[in-house]
Amino acid sequence: MHAELGELARQLTLERARLAETQSVAKVGSWELDLRTNVLSWSDENYRIFEVDVGTFDGTYEAFLERVHPDDRTAVGRAYGESVAARVPYAIDHRMCTSDGRLKIVHERCQTFYDDAGTPIRSVGTTQDVTADRLAEAALHDSRQALRAVLDSVPQRVFWKDRDSVYLGCNRPFAADMGVDDPRDVIGKTDFDLFPPELAQKYRDGDNQVLATGAMFEDLESYEQSDGDVRYIQVLKTPVHDARERIIGTQVMFWDVTARHR
C-alpha cells in the first residue's frame, strides 16, 4: 500500500510538472478561487503573467483586484459578480499593474461551480497575456482609419470587388454618387444593383478582363448630361492579389477628366 501511494504521488507530481510546462508554452495561466474561504490559488504561469513573486501574493480575491489596473477594477468586479449571479461563464480583457508602469493586457476567462443548494463554492479560470495581440489590433485599426481618411478625402471614386464583381468596399465620394451616406451600404451589391443593365454588363466585362489577364484595364467613358453637356470619365481597373499572389478581385478608380480631354 505504501508503495502504491508513493507511485500515485510520483505520478501526480509528474502531471503537475507537465501541466506547468504546457501552460508555459501556451502562455496561459490558471487559477482557482474557493468562495467559502476566499483562498485564491495561482499556477506558476499565472504568477509569471502578473509578474508577482509567490511570497508577496496574499492569495485572495482582493489581492488579485489590487493587481488589476485601477480604471478596470470596476468592470472586472462587475463582470465576475454578474457571472456568479447568472451562473454563466464570462470573459474579459483588462489591464494590469506592473512595477515599471508598462502597459500589459490580459484576457481572463472564468466559470463558477455551485453545490446542490445553488450556493457558489468555487470559481476556476484562465489568464492569458494578450498585450501584443491587442496592440497589433489597435495599430491595424489606426492604419485602416488613416487609409479610410485618405480614400474619403480624394476626389477620385474608389471601390474594390471580389472575383464575382461583388462590392467589398468603396470611398465616400463613390457612395455619395450611389445615393447613400455610408460606404458600407454598397458592400454586397453588384453593378446590376447600381447601374442600368447595359452599363452593368460593360463594367462586369471590364472586371472579367482584369481577372483573366492580370493586367491593368483603362477606359475613357463619356456620357451626356441632361443639359446636353458631355462629360469624360477616366477609368482604371487593377487586379487585387492575396498573399500568395493569386488574383482575388479588382480595384477600380475613376475620375472626371472633361477639362483635360477638351
Side-chain angles (χ1 to χ4, degrees), residues 95-153:
R95 293 164 293 176
M96 52 166 286
C97 299
T98 59
S99 58
D100 56 3
R102 284 177 292 110
L103 173 64
K104 194 167 187 179
I105 305 170
V106 297
H107 180 70
E108 298 263 6
R109 290 182 175 273
C110 168
Q111 182 170 355
T112 300
F113 297 89
Y114 306 78
D115 63 16
D116 294 338
T119 303
I121 58 174
R122 184 169 61 98
S123 295
V124 298
T126 58
T127 306
Q128 183 178 14
D129 183 351
V130 295
T131 307
D133 292 341
R134 297 299 183 263
L135 291 180
E137 291 169 1
L140 179 59
H141 175 75
D142 291 344
S143 177
R144 285 175 173 170
Q145 290 295 97
L147 177 59
R148 167 59 63 184
V150 171
L151 288 175
D152 289 344
S153 65

Side-chain angles (χ1 to χ4, degrees), residues 5-261:
L5 290 177
E7 177 61 19
L8 288 174
R10 188 186 72 81
Q11 290 293 336
L12 180 59
T13 300
L14 181 60
E15 289 300 323
R16 286 176 175 172
R18 288 173 177 170
L19 176 60
E21 291 174 353
T22 301
Q23 290 192 1
S24 178
V25 171
K27 309 297 183 185
V28 176
S30 61
W31 54 268
E32 179 175 335
L33 175 63
D34 188 327
L35 295 173
R36 295 164 298 188
T37 62
N38 195 33
V39 173
L40 177 61
S41 302
W42 277 2
S43 68
D44 292 341
E45 185 63 16
N46 221 52
Y47 280 104
R48 187 199 66 77
I49 291 173
F50 278 88
E51 302 179 15
V52 173
D53 293 330
V54 177
T56 62
F57 183 62
D58 293 339
T60 64
Y61 178 71
E62 292 72 22
F64 153 71
L65 279 181
E66 289 179 1
R67 285 158 178 79
V68 175
H69 192 282
D71 294 340
D72 294 345
R73 287 173 188 167
T74 299
V76 170
R78 183 188 305 114
Y80 178 62
E82 292 176 351
S83 170
V84 173
R87 300 192 182 189
V88 294
Y90 83 92
I92 190 172
D93 285 0
H94 67 78
R95 293 164 293 176
M96 52 166 286
C97 299
T98 59
S99 58
D100 56 3
R102 284 177 292 110
L103 173 64
K104 194 167 187 179
I105 305 170
V106 297
H107 180 70
E108 298 263 6
R109 290 182 175 273
C110 168
Q111 182 170 355
T112 300
F113 297 89
Y114 306 78
D115 63 16
D116 294 338
T119 303
I121 58 174
R122 184 169 61 98
S123 295
V124 298
T126 58
T127 306
Q128 183 178 14
D129 183 351
V130 295
T131 307
D133 292 341
R134 297 299 183 263
L135 291 180
E137 291 169 1
L140 179 59
H141 175 75
D142 291 344
S143 177
R144 285 175 173 170
Q145 290 295 97
L147 177 59
R148 167 59 63 184
V150 171
L151 288 175
D152 289 344
S153 65
V154 297
Q156 290 86 354
R157 276 55 174 166
V158 183
F159 53 87
W160 47 101
K161 310 175 187 176
D162 64 14
R163 290 190 63 89
D164 295 321
S165 291
V166 176
Y167 283 84
L168 300 177
C170 69
N171 67 350
R172 287 193 179 278
F174 179 76
D177 287 348
M178 297 301 104
V180 297
D181 296 327
D182 192 335
R184 290 174 294 184
D185 292 335
V186 177
I187 296 174
K189 298 184 181 299
T190 70
D191 290 319
F192 288 93
D193 297 315
L194 303 173
F195 302 99
E198 63 277 8
L199 274 181
Q201 188 59 54
K202 177 183 178 180
Y203 298 154
R204 176 69 62 87
D205 292 341
D207 292 344
N208 290 336
Q209 179 177 329
V210 173
L211 294 171
T213 65
M216 181 176 64
F217 172 86
E218 289 187 88
D219 191 22
L220 181 64
E221 299 179 0
S222 63
Y223 68 94
E224 184 175 344
Q225 294 181 312
S226 58
D227 60 0
D229 186 27
V230 177
R231 309 298 299 181
Y232 295 89
I233 303 297
Q234 180 69 47
V235 180
L236 179 64
K237 296 188 176 188
T238 56
V240 177
H241 298 83
D242 64 9
R244 298 172 61 182
E245 292 302 314
R246 296 175 300 186
I247 298 176
I248 58 174
T250 57
Q251 177 174 283
V252 184
M253 178 184 298
F254 68 88
W255 58 101
D256 191 317
V257 293
T258 303
R260 187 178 69 186
H261 182 76

